[in-house]
Every structure is written in C-alpha cells, then in structure tokens.
Amino acid sequence: MRRFIPRAIHYPTTSTLASRANSRLSLISKHLHPAPIQELNTPFSTERTSVSDDDIEIEPSPPPPPQPEIKTRSIETQTEAEEEISEEPSAVMSSQPEHPALLIPGPIEFDDAVLQSMSHFSESHVGGPFVQCFGEVLTMLRKVFQTTDTASQPFVISGSGTLGWDQVASNLVEPGDEVLVLHTGYFADSFADCFDTYGVKATQLKAPIGDRPQLDAVEKALQEKSYKMITVTHVDTSTGVLSEIEALSELVHRVSPDTLVVIDAVCSVGSEEIQFDAWGLDVVLTASQKGIGCPAGLSILMASGRAMDRFKNRKTKPTSYFGSWKNWLPIMQNYEAKKPSYFATPSPQLVRALHTSLTQILSTPLNDRFAAHRAASQKVKKAVADLGLKQLATKPENQANGMTAIYLPEGITPPEVLPNLLKKGVIFAGGLHKEIATKYIRFGHMGVSVTDPKRDDIDRAIKSLKEGLVEVGYKA
C-alpha cells in the first residue's frame, strides 16, 4: 500500500504579494491615472448620454454645502503609489490566499464555501445531480425575492446583469413602444441606450446628481403619456442613490395600471428589502456578483405573471435570440420541475456557487440580513461625516445600505487616495458619473463583509480611509 505523503504548502512572500498588487494596479491604471475623462461609455469615468430629446429634466435643489478647505497636503506620485504593500500584519479574513479586501460596489468578497463550490468537478448540465441543484436554485430565488405566486417566473442565464436589460427590452416591449426610465445616475442612461438598440422609445425623467425623481413628477409624466413600462434603478452604483420602490409601484398601479413596473436591482438584491408580491412588481433583475455574493457571470431575473402574459401576447417575435424567453421559459420551467432540458449550456460551477450562496442567505431571516446591512451602512456614513466628508446622496432617505459614494475633500482626487488604500489592503472604487468622476470614491459594504462576524473588513476600511486621507494632507 502506498504511503500518503502530504505536500508542503508554500505561502506567498511579501514581495510576491506586492508584485500581485502592482499587477492589479496596472490593470486599473486607466482608473487611477489622472488623465482627461474619456469619451462615451468608458468605465469608471463616464456615463452614457441621453438618447432622447424628450427627456424630462427636474429642477435641481440648492447645492450642498462647500467641502472643507485643505490646509496642507502632500501629493504622492503614481510611481510612489505602486510601491510595495505595507508589511504590517493584516487580520486573517478566511482560508483564501491573502489579498486586499474588495470593497467596491461589486464584485464583492466571497465566502469560502461559495468559492469552494466553484471548484466542483465537471458534470453534465443535463445530468440528474445538476438538474436537482438548478431546480433548487430557482425555488430559492422565489424566497429571496419574496414571491409565493406560482405565476411568477425566475430566470437564471449565463451573462452579466446587463443581460437583464436585454431580456426586458427584447421580451416585454416591442419596437415603437414607449417606456419611462427614472434617472438616478449612469445606469439609467445605459438602460435607455439598451431600449434604443431594440427600437423602443425611452424617455428619461432625470433628477439632480445625488437625488431621485420625486413621486409627483413621476405621476405628472405618467398622466401626460401612455407608457408600456416604467424602469427604476433600485440602487444606482454610480451615485449610491436608493430609490423608493414600494410607493413608486403603488403610484404606477393607481395612475397607469397597464404600465409594467421594472426594477434594476443589480446593486440591491441581498442588501436592500424587496417584496416582489406585496409591492406589485413585474420584473426585478439582478446579477450574481453583488449582494448575492456569488462570482460574476449569472443574470438573475424574476418576472410576474402579468409580465409573462405580456410576453406571451406580444404581436412580434422577441428581438433577441439568446435572450428570448421563447427559448428560455421551457428550460427554466423544466429545471424547476427537476427535468433535464437544453437550449444553451449553463455554467454548472456558477450555478453550484449560487446554490451555496442562496442557501447561506436563506439560513437566517431576510429581515436580519437587511438589518445587518443597515447597521453597517450607518457605521460607514457616520465615519464619513466624522471625517468632515459629504455623500453624493445628501438626503438620508436616498442613501443606499450596500454602498456609499463619498465626495473627496476639495483638491484631492481618486488617483491620490485609491493607491494608498490598496497598500493598506483595501480596494475602493473611483467615480463613475462623468460630471463628477474626479471628485468622489465609492465604498461597497455588502455580503460577507457585513454578515460574517469574523471579518473586520468594514472597520479596517474606515481606518484605512482616514489614514489614507491624512497621508495626502487632509485634516478633518
């Protein structure tokens, strides 16, 4: 009998970690380098412009108070920012290899068990074990979205959250239809652009930066024109603005009952409360890599019975092939019934990871999860205020619980702050809104970084932010 000899485990050296950090910096150099803002559709620095002359502008409210003046500051160069990561010992986060805590508004940090599910051995996508797993995923999604209506239909399709837009635009409206898009940042422009691609006429109702369209303005817009659909970004990742969904849906059902209510919840599912049935929602679309806490690569969507009737009664064929519910509906129905089915090959490993993540989410009451995110959010926002800094979303009711968008002090830019944070083992994101991209950073606080009591991600990030600002000369 062969004697088992365990292999030695080689842990990375400090210089190796520094090399990895420098490599990561080079990959996001366009983000960190203080170059002029790029043209249309460049990530991290711009937002898409409106495509319609009919967009409705809302008068801005008075500007926020001026930022605190900077008395002294010392600017580090990009070369200095790329020096070795500090050798100060960091807290053990998990059994994963040591790495900076990813605290951007998605992707987020992942639980060990979720990542282990990604290493599942290769299996048939129509084999019994995987079909059982996929069926359970679809059933668990009903609980996460809080729908018990058997007419509701979950979809899980390989792709990013953006694929949810394509599903909505190609299955629930037809070329020439009118839709109303509520604008709170970058992602409303993007959704409107998607509609335009499919020949759908999108009108945006725009709010000032950091605010959201008010209900009286929405009511007025719905009374002036008939819209087949209204869309709203629950949490706009570019601004950290949280939209009020329950009251909005009630308004739409009262004023324009035939208008479908569609929620872009890519940055809110798992960290913000969503009651699909109770709030009368027709579509909630999201992705795997944010509040759900699974690696990127899955478009996740829940459609109401009313939305499915709209799809089944459309006059023209769906305007997408891969995203067509004509192709995907029988697949999802069969998988949930534990029957093998095939249209296009899913990712068994991603679905396995999603199964693990959803199991964890549902292992405690959803209200407890939402409360934990609110508590973490309040801690972050208090720390921001204590530093003398302001949020993009100045009104408490507009502030998301899974992220915070923070104005930097006057004269300090993201390329000066972000590399310092990276050297301290924390990764924040720069600005995404083209009008103010060089003025703010974004702090994501969702998923295991919030719910796992063994992790110190949030406290360490707050401490690193304070120290990083001091290092570039800021005095609160």
Side-chain angles (χ1 to χ4, degrees):
M1 178 180 295
R2 292 183 178 178
R3 186 164 57 92
F4 174 72
I5 302 177
R7 295 190 334 182
I9 300 176
H10 299 284
Y11 293 96
T13 64
T14 302
S15 60
T16 301
L17 289 172
S19 175
R20 291 177 182 172
N22 289 339
S23 174
R24 182 186 290 270
L25 272 173
S26 67
L27 289 174
I28 58 174
S29 60
K30 290 182 180 179
H31 183 179
L32 299 176
H33 194 278
I37 292 176
Q38 300 298 309
E39 292 300 321
L40 183 67
N41 199 24
T42 301
F44 307 115
S45 61
T46 69
E47 63 175 343
R48 288 187 176 87
T49 55
S50 173
V51 296
S52 173
D53 293 333
D54 296 328
D55 290 346
I56 306 167
E57 299 283 351
I58 298 176
E59 288 297 323
S61 54
Q67 300 297 312
E69 292 185 2
I70 309 305
K71 295 181 179 179
T72 61
R73 53 187 297 262
S74 173
I75 301 176
E76 289 190 354
T77 64
Q78 180 73 16
T79 302
E80 291 171 337
E82 294 178 351
E83 293 177 354
E84 281 195 359
I85 294 176
S86 170
E87 295 189 14
E88 293 181 5
S90 59
V92 177
M93 300 194 310
S94 68
S95 63
Q96 301 168 34
E98 186 176 352
H99 63 278
L102 187 59
L103 296 171
I104 65 176
I108 66 170
E109 286 289 326
F110 303 128
D111 184 82
D112 289 0
V114 173
L115 292 184
Q116 289 165 6
S117 298
M118 283 291 292
S119 65
H120 192 280
F121 57 80
S122 188
E123 63 182 329
S124 169
H125 55 289
V126 291
F130 177 71
V131 171
Q132 177 75 22
C133 174
F134 204 152
E136 291 173 0
V137 161
L138 295 169
T139 299
M140 283 191 285
L141 283 173
R142 294 180 181 275
K143 297 178 181 179
V144 170
F145 286 90
Q146 301 192 65
T147 175
T148 58
D149 188 347
T150 56
S152 299
Q153 180 59 53
F155 292 86
V156 177
I157 304 175
S158 295
S160 73
T162 307
L163 179 59
W165 295 341
D166 286 85
Q167 291 183 67
V168 168
S170 63
N171 290 289
L172 294 178
V173 283
E174 304 184 47
D177 282 351
E178 299 269 3
V179 300
L180 180 63
V181 177
L182 304 189
H183 185 288
T184 54
Y186 174 94
F187 292 94
D189 285 325
S190 301
F191 207 165
D193 193 20
C194 178
F195 281 122
D196 181 66
T197 299
Y198 289 94
V200 176
K201 299 177 182 178
T203 298
Q204 295 196 60
L205 182 61
K206 296 188 174 184
I209 296 173
D211 207 348
R212 64 194 187 197
Q214 300 303 299
L215 293 180
D216 56 350
V218 176
E219 181 170 3
K220 183 173 182 291
L222 291 174
Q223 290 171 338
E224 291 176 347
K225 185 184 291 186
S226 176
Y227 293 102
K228 290 294 183 71
M229 175 185 295
I230 184 172
T231 76
V232 60
T233 309
H234 195 184
V235 172
D236 195 294
T237 315
S238 71
T239 58
V241 170
L242 172 70
S243 292
E244 168 57 48
I245 302 303
E246 183 179 11
L248 172 67
S249 182
E250 188 279 328
L251 169 68
V252 175
H253 282 281
R254 174 172 55 82
V255 176
S256 184
D258 293 331
T259 300
L260 295 181
V261 180
V262 174
I263 313 302
D264 177 344
V266 169
C267 196
S268 66
V269 170
S271 59
E272 305 283 356
E273 183 176 15
I274 297 176
Q275 296 189 33
F276 193 84
D277 288 352
W279 295 353
L281 308 180
D282 291 302
V283 172
V284 174
L285 63 94
T286 190
S288 53
Q289 77 276 10
K290 301 203 180 194
I292 289 178
C294 176
L298 294 176
S299 171
I300 300 167
L301 183 149
M302 185 68 70
S304 69
R306 188 169 78 139
M308 296 312 300
D309 287 341
R310 177 75 61 87
F311 162 70
K312 293 172 184 177
N313 293 323
R314 58 183 292 125
K315 298 175 183 178
T316 61
K317 293 181 179 180
T319 47
S320 169
Y321 180 70
F322 180 73
S324 171
W325 288 353
K326 180 181 179 182
N327 295 322
W328 283 114
L329 179 58
I331 308 301
M332 297 298 127
Q333 291 174 333
N334 284 340
Y335 269 130
E336 193 167 11
K338 311 300 193 297
K339 298 177 182 178
S341 193
Y342 174 75
F343 163 60
T345 306
S347 169
Q349 284 69 33
L350 276 173
V351 173
R352 289 275 179 186
L354 178 59
H355 186 283
T356 300
S357 182
L358 293 176
T359 300
Q360 292 177 342
I361 289 172
L362 293 171
S363 67
T364 57
L366 288 175
N367 285 339
D368 291 352
R369 182 180 183 86
F370 301 142
H373 281 82
R374 285 193 296 271
S377 178
Q378 290 306 308
K379 175 184 286 190
V380 170
K381 290 165 173 60
K382 181 181 185 302
V384 168
D386 289 346
L387 284 170
L389 304 178
K390 303 293 184 182
Q391 297 179 56
L392 269 66
T394 57
K395 302 174 184 176
E397 65 270 22
N398 290 352
Q399 296 169 356
N401 291 302
M403 67 166 290
T404 304
I406 309 164
Y407 277 115
L408 290 172
E410 186 69 30
I412 295 179
T413 61
E416 298 168 58
V417 176
L418 297 180
N420 281 350
L421 298 181
L422 178 57
K423 289 194 295 182
K424 299 176 187 300
V426 174
I427 300 176
F428 282 11
L432 187 58
H433 195 295
K434 74 174 182 180
E435 295 180 29
I436 53 171
T438 61
K439 297 182 179 181
Y440 75 107
I441 58 176
R442 295 173 295 146
F443 180 172
H445 34 84
M446 61 186 98
V448 292
S449 292
V450 169
T451 61
D452 186 347
K454 299 187 297 295
R455 301 180 72 110
D456 67 345
D457 296 354
I458 305 304
D459 290 335
R460 188 152 50 94
I462 291 172
K463 180 174 181 288
S464 297
L465 177 60
K466 181 177 181 179
E467 292 175 352
L469 289 171
V470 170
E471 289 172 5
V472 295
Y474 175 64
K475 294 183 179 180

